[in-house]
Amino acid sequence: DANERKLDLDIDWPGVFKHAQSVSKTNPFWNELSGSNPFVHDIAASNRNENNKRLSILKEKPYLFSKISRNRDSLDSSGDELDIDCLLRKTSTRRSGRSKSVSDFLDIVDNQRFNPHKTAPQKTTVSDMTWLQNDREAYKMAWLSHRQLTRSCLDLEAMSHSPGWAQTQATDIHVVCKLNHEGGSVQLPDSDINIHVPVGHVLPGEFQEVGLKAILNPPLSCNNELSSTVSPLIEVTLSNLNTSEAIFLEVKVAAKVKSDPLSQVMSDIVCFFSLNKEGPFKKLENCYIYQDTIQVKLTDLSHMMYAVIAIQASRIQPPATNVWDYVHRTVSVGIYGPKYIHPSFTAVFTVFGHNYIPGKLTICDIKKGGKSMPPVVFQLWGKHTFLLEKPQDLNISLISCDPDFQVKMEDQSKNIKKEELKTGEMVRQQFLFSMLGCREMHFFVFLVQIKILKSSQVTQFHVTTPDPAPKLSGIINRPKRLQNRKEIKSAPWLLIPTIKYPKFQDKTLSVNTYGVALKTVLRQNKIDYLLEYFKGDTIALLGEDKVKAIGQTKTKEWYVGVLRRKIGLVHCKNIKVIPKEQAMDTADSELTTRNLVEQIALPFKKLTYIYSVVLSTVSESVYDWRALAEVLGYSHMSLDDFNEANIDKESERVSHVVKKMKQDCHANKKKRLFLYELIVALLKIDCQGLVARLTQDTIILTSAVKLGKSWRELAEKLARLTKQQIEAYEAPHHGKNGAVALEMMWKPAYDFLYTWAAHYGDGYRDVLQDLQSALDKMKNPVTKQWRELTGALILVNCMEVLRASAFSKMEED
């Protein structure tokens, strides 16, 4: 401690700033630097004789870095007293504690918010900081050099005024793995780029360090009329050249040669290879192609090598005009933005000439107020792929679906030239969003539209922004999205990799509340999901929540009840609610959990769904393929059944089980319905959060199909849309006659309902109830004949009683 105190005195921190002040007079970049640097902002301002309220934290507390506080919890301290011990913990060998950015502050806040256990303080030793004492000039130069890339920021006062600081940190898209004599595989994260190292590549006892890096812009020399790259430039590094076996590069590409004879003869997928980043590149012969995957044998090994996959044509024969005409190419699009949104932010639309879309992207040409900003790291918010048969001019539009936010007028529509796409390079367009008025910040949804000029083809998709930046002072609570009432979420939504699904138990429902019928109700015209009963019947009530739904003529409030093994709605005014103890004869209102599950899933026999969406949603959310296989009736399945499909991820195994069930249902259409059986299975493994999500998605899609052109009336009722706003939803779907065809009318209806539902966040019950109420109030309600939305409301209102009865807490413990 004595040494630490001595070090505090030895480092002349004010001297550092005094030196910086003298440099400012001779440094031509000073103004630009100080404009974005809270460390030196106060010095620059004092030179200009301005009153500066924002002081650098180093100036207020010059010994901040060298003192080790031992008994502090950052969540109990004020915003400018975050636990520095936590910041100085060793997170990576490449970045020291001195270069932490506000992203690190916010990550630490997130970590500590979700992990209440305090992080043990890490002590910084005197030897770690002796270089500061010995060579202050070296410290300043190292800091400034690093800052050019990362805009390190510890000025919390400045940060609180401009949450945009939250997005600044340096990133590289690369991975390094150390392999021994046994070999192995190295995969670039979030990509289909792999290096396979065979057994015996290096001698026993030796090691090989394999590095993989993706350079997003491919070499220009590989993009011309006869050649077009379909992968990033891949940098492979090796530490050990004392090898006896070649290595293999495997890449999944975004293109496929067309099946017609001319394309098959004239073009091929090839790999270009070089020992230098700039080339020259030569074509490798040792390539094996299977569908959209190419495997390349690399024999000419070096410490650093470069490879890129391309489509190459031997020559262009009319009617073809360039190599694109011989292939089906998929264009990948990424939408990037800051880690947290703030009142004014930039979203970046990016087109890649390959199918690798990184999770983070460093943007170097951001402009603010006409001035260029330092490089900023943006996060991937959303991605999309679509087929583009040839290079064509594209028009890009970003449309805010939230009235609280708007896209800057001149940024609302931008063009990308076909010549830019031909180069294979990454093409970017910036869109500036701003908040209207002084409302409270919240996440929102916007629509991305890609129009092919001189064509009617339009591709569009929705993107949801992240939340606003959390406040750094006091007890931190993440802004909660709209969560009304008691939401049920299953274990899979918690994203825990090891989940033990509970065992479904077929037993009699445990009911606490009953209703005695005050009058007889028998309907001449039978209505789905509405109960019939005689005066004096005892009806079991599944929960205390009421459902609003249309009856024979008008909208009423209903309880969900059980009578004579049938689940349905009973009008609240027609029964007297009594506790369990007062119920005389409950034999007619008993029901088993198996019967409950099979009945509440009945709406899914008639709902419209998109198979690919259901498949991907279930694959991402179920974490044990065996549990799903067992409830679907495939308990005989074993890992041997997956060998042919070469499945090594749990999500792929789950996908395989779902696909098998889909095939079996398709083979027996009269008796088996895919979505119904899947929902029953998910309820039996307690995936209620996933069922809620699938329920909302399928209800929205089916409602859009049922509504047709009536969606305009609903849009006025639900969101008070004007005629101009309704037209904006329909414009992308106009046919050749300038209007939306009747059979296509479900598309704008779906776009509207999807956007409207997104504002509810996780409040899926309220989405279903508000949609039911709005549909019931239409001039000609579709819900008079189409009752599946009523069935869906019964489903979500029965989830609690199902969980309480079918899954024993004793067993889970």
Side-chain angles (χ1 to χ4, degrees):
D1 286 357
N3 286 336
E4 282 183 16
R5 282 195 296 273
K6 183 176 184 300
L7 180 61
D8 286 354
L9 298 170
D10 285 349
I11 300 173
D12 181 15
W13 285 103
V16 174
F17 291 97
K18 186 183 264 185
H19 177 78
Q21 196 164 347
S22 63
V23 167
S24 67
K25 296 172 183 174
T26 57
N27 185 346
F29 302 108
W30 183 257
N31 289 333
E32 285 75 14
L33 181 67
S34 64
S36 65
N37 184 351
F39 277 71
V40 296
H41 181 93
D42 45 330
I43 305 160
S46 65
N47 281 353
R48 295 191 294 268
N49 296 321
E50 293 176 3
N51 290 326
N52 177 40
K53 293 179 182 177
R54 296 185 299 173
L55 290 176
S56 163
I57 194 168
L58 279 182
K59 211 162 180 207
E60 292 171 6
K61 299 183 180 180
Y63 307 117
L64 183 62
F65 283 138
S66 48
K67 286 187 178 178
I68 307 300
S69 59
R70 287 174 175 78
N71 298 308
R72 292 195 305 174
D73 183 349
S74 63
L75 294 186
D76 296 330
S77 60
S78 63
D80 59 352
E81 291 176 339
L82 280 171
D83 192 347
I84 298 301
D85 310 325
C86 197
L87 292 182
L88 294 177
R89 73 185 191 275
K90 191 171 181 182
T91 53
S92 116
T93 55
R94 293 176 64 249
R95 297 180 62 206
S96 73
R98 298 178 193 93
S99 61
K100 293 288 177 186
S101 71
V102 170
S103 299
D104 299 286
F105 276 105
L106 297 175
D107 285 341
I108 290 160
V109 167
D110 282 348
N111 290 340
Q112 295 197 2
R113 181 164 56 242
F114 296 119
N115 178 14
H117 304 295
K118 293 181 184 179
T119 309
Q122 301 247 344
K123 186 173 179 179
T124 305
T125 62
V126 177
S127 60
D128 289 338
M129 303 185 73
T130 50
W131 63 281
L132 283 178
Q133 184 180 355
N134 297 338
D135 194 344
R136 193 184 306 126
E137 193 64 29
Y139 159 71
K140 284 189 300 182
M141 293 311 296
W143 180 81
L144 287 170
S145 171
H146 182 82
R147 223 193 134 310
Q148 289 173 0
L149 280 178
T150 60
R151 286 171 42 197
S152 299
C153 172
L154 285 170
D155 186 340
L156 300 182
E157 179 64 23
M159 209 291 299
S160 66
H161 287 108
S162 175
W165 287 96
Q167 67 218 18
T168 57
Q169 62 187 25
T171 59
D172 269 330
I173 310 154
H174 72 276
V175 64
V176 180
C177 282
K178 190 174 184 179
L179 304 172
N180 60 14
H181 173 72
E182 297 297 321
S185 294
V186 180
Q187 182 180 30
L188 194 67
D190 303 319
S191 80
D192 294 306
I193 300 169
N194 299 272
I195 287 286
H196 301 295
V197 179
V199 177
H201 170 70
V202 291
L203 298 172
E206 290 195 12
F207 294 92
Q208 176 70 281
E209 278 192 11
V210 180
L212 256 181
K213 183 176 179 180
I215 299 165
L216 297 175
N217 281 329
L220 291 174
S221 60
C222 296
N223 282 283
N224 49 57
E225 291 300 310
L226 292 174
S227 170
S228 179
T229 54
V230 287
S231 82
L233 180 61
I234 301 160
E235 180 184 279
V236 182
T237 55
L238 301 176
S239 63
N240 186 354
L241 295 184
N242 183 23
T243 59
S244 55
E245 290 282 342
I247 62 175
F248 295 86
L249 171 67
E250 186 179 277
V251 184
K252 196 172 183 179
V253 295
K256 191 177 179 183
V257 177
K258 290 180 180 176
S259 56
D260 64 275
L262 184 63
S263 299
Q264 290 286 321
V265 170
M266 290 295 180
S267 63
D268 200 4
I269 299 177
V270 300
C271 177
F272 290 118
F273 179 84
S274 175
L275 298 179
N276 296 307
K277 187 177 177 181
E278 292 77 23
F281 286 84
K282 65 175 182 179
K283 186 171 85 170
L284 293 182
E285 300 301 330
N286 298 323
C287 296
Y288 171 73
I289 299 161
Y290 175 71
Q291 293 181 348
D292 60 350
T293 301
I294 182 169
Q295 194 174 75
V296 185
K297 187 175 183 179
L298 301 179
T299 53
D300 185 13
L301 299 181
S302 174
H303 284 300
M304 191 167 285
M305 302 167 285
Y306 295 88
V308 65
I309 312 301
I311 300 288
Q312 188 181 43
S314 52
R315 62 191 179 91
I316 305 298
Q317 182 171 316
T321 56
N322 64 46
V323 68
W324 279 56
D325 293 324
Y326 293 134
V327 293
H328 292 296
R329 281 197 62 155
T330 301
V331 171
S332 299
V333 168
I335 301 292
Y336 291 86
K339 187 172 183 180
Y340 300 98
I341 61 168
H342 33 287
S344 178
F345 65 85
T346 299
V348 180
F349 175 95
T350 310
V351 179
F352 298 94
H354 43 76
N355 60 355
Y356 177 51
I357 305 179
K360 293 183 180 180
L361 194 64
T362 303
I363 310 290
C364 301
D365 54 355
I366 294 290
K367 290 188 181 295
K368 201 169 185 179
K371 293 182 179 180
S372 294
M373 300 291 287
V376 179
V377 175
F378 274 20
Q379 317 287 320
L380 180 64
W381 284 1
K383 58 185 177 181
H384 190 74
T385 58
F386 65 98
L387 196 67
L388 189 63
E389 290 293 351
K390 59 182 179 181
Q392 297 180 72
D393 293 343
L394 303 177
N395 174 261
I396 315 301
S397 303
L398 264 62
I399 303 156
S400 173
C401 302
D402 191 306
D404 292 350
F405 291 85
Q406 70 173 15
V407 184
K408 192 177 177 183
M409 190 65 72
E410 55 266 35
D411 286 355
Q412 286 177 356
S413 178
K414 299 197 173 186
N415 292 336
I416 292 175
K417 299 291 184 186
K418 64 181 180 182
E419 286 74 20
E420 295 178 280
L421 297 177
K422 276 185 184 179
T423 65
E425 289 196 347
M426 185 171 53
V427 184
R428 296 197 300 264
Q429 291 288 359
Q430 297 177 17
F431 294 83
L432 183 66
F433 281 82
S434 57
M435 192 175 185
L436 298 174
C438 299
R439 300 176 177 89
E440 187 178 347
M441 285 290 295
H442 58 84
F443 78 99
F444 66 99
V445 178
F446 60 89
L447 179 69
V448 182
Q449 285 186 344
I450 307 164
K451 296 178 186 175
I452 296 178
L453 299 179
K454 302 176 185 175
S455 163
S456 60
Q457 186 181 343
V458 176
T459 298
Q460 64 179 31
F461 60 101
H462 290 86
V463 175
T464 303
T465 70
D467 286 330
K471 292 179 173 62
L472 289 173
S473 57
I475 300 298
I476 295 148
N477 291 315
R478 165 161 279 179
K480 286 185 179 177
R481 298 183 177 184
L482 208 60
Q483 275 189 314
N484 298 330
R485 301 154 67 146
K486 293 170 282 188
E487 300 306 335
I488 300 171
K489 292 198 173 182
S490 64
W493 284 97
L494 301 177
L495 297 177
I496 301 169
T498 53
I499 290 171
K500 183 184 177 185
Y501 288 100
K503 185 83 174 170
F504 179 79
Q505 297 168 1
D506 186 13
K507 60 183 184 182
T508 304
L509 279 184
S510 174
V511 178
N512 297 321
T513 313
Y514 289 83
V516 177
L518 300 176
K519 67 178 191 178
T520 298
V521 175
L522 298 171
R523 295 182 177 82
Q524 192 172 355
N525 298 321
K526 307 297 181 191
I527 301 176
D528 289 342
Y529 304 109
L530 300 189
L531 283 180
E532 293 183 315
Y533 39 88
F534 296 100
K535 185 176 179 179
D537 277 340
T538 302
I539 303 167
L541 302 183
L542 306 183
E544 299 171 10
D545 284 346
K546 296 173 183 177
V547 173
K548 286 183 184 176
I550 197 168
Q552 198 84 44
T553 54
K554 62 180 181 179
T555 300
K556 303 172 182 176
E557 287 194 330
W558 314 76
Y559 287 116
V560 180
V562 178
L563 184 63
R564 287 180 276 278
R565 289 190 298 282
K566 186 180 178 186
I567 300 171
L569 299 180
V570 54
H571 188 199
C572 293
K573 290 185 178 178
N574 287 350
I575 60 168
K576 180 186 177 184
V577 178
I578 58 172
K580 184 178 183 178
E581 295 73 30
Q582 293 179 18
M584 300 290 290
D585 182 12
T586 60
D588 277 352
S589 57
E590 286 184 354
L591 193 75
T592 66
T593 51
R594 181 178 62 82
N595 201 322
L596 173 68
V597 166
E598 290 169 353
Q599 277 202 61
I600 60 178
L602 282 174
F604 288 92
K605 287 189 173 183
K606 296 180 181 178
L607 290 178
T608 305
Y609 64 95
I610 300 170
Y611 172 65
S612 60
V613 174
V614 171
L615 180 65
S616 62
T617 305
V618 174
S619 301
E620 290 165 7
S621 307
V622 175
Y623 289 85
D624 184 355
W625 72 269
R626 291 181 191 275
L628 183 62
E630 191 172 333
V631 290
L632 285 172
Y634 300 125
S635 52
H636 60 278
M637 286 181 77
S638 68
L639 281 173
D640 295 336
D641 297 311
F642 297 107
N643 287 344
E644 288 179 32
N646 191 27
I647 295 172
D648 53 1
K649 292 180 184 173
E650 195 68 20
S651 61
E652 290 172 344
R653 291 175 187 160
V654 172
S655 177
H656 184 77
V657 172
V658 176
K659 285 175 183 174
K660 177 167 176 53
M661 199 263 284
K662 171 71 172 171
Q663 290 168 357
D664 292 348
C665 290
H666 188 72
N668 192 2
K669 286 182 182 176
K670 290 182 180 178
K671 291 186 178 179
R672 300 187 64 181
L673 291 163
F674 165 72
L675 191 59
Y676 170 76
E677 290 197 16
L678 180 62
I679 294 296
V680 168
L682 293 173
L683 287 171
K684 284 185 176 179
I685 57 172
D686 199 30
C687 287
Q688 294 192 354
L690 175 55
V691 169
R693 181 176 169 187
L694 291 171
T695 303
Q696 179 173 310
D697 288 351
T698 49
I699 283 291
I700 284 176
L701 179 62
T702 314
S703 300
V705 172
K706 291 284 177 188
L707 280 166
K709 64 181 181 181
S710 302
W711 85 269
R712 298 163 183 165
E713 182 191 343
L714 180 74
E716 289 173 14
K717 278 188 170 23
L718 271 181
R720 297 180 182 174
L721 288 196
T722 63
K723 286 185 178 178
Q724 289 83 356
Q725 289 170 316
I726 290 171
E727 178 57 32
Y729 272 102
E730 293 187 355
H733 308 289
H734 282 173
K736 292 180 181 177
N737 62 351
V740 182
L742 200 56
E743 64 272 15
M744 290 291 108
M745 195 60 83
W746 69 270
K747 291 186 176 182
Y750 178 77
D751 289 345
F752 163 70
L753 285 172
Y754 180 94
T755 307
W756 167 76
H759 286 76
Y760 284 77
D762 295 323
Y764 62 89
R765 287 194 188 189
D766 296 304
V767 170
L768 299 177
Q769 182 61 80
D770 291 355
L771 180 58
Q772 172 87 51
S773 300
L775 290 173
D776 285 343
K777 290 173 185 172
M778 291 176 70
K779 289 174 187 172
N780 295 304
V782 294
T783 43
K784 275 213 167 185
Q785 294 78 35
W786 176 64
R787 306 296 302 203
E788 273 56 60
L789 179 47
T790 310
L793 281 168
I794 292 174
L795 162 67
V796 297
N797 276 279
C798 288
M799 282 183 168
E800 288 176 57
V801 71
L802 172 64
R803 177 169 278 170
S805 298
F807 304 102
S808 167
K809 290 182 181 176
M810 293 282 289
E811 184 179 317
E812 286 180 31
D813 294 341

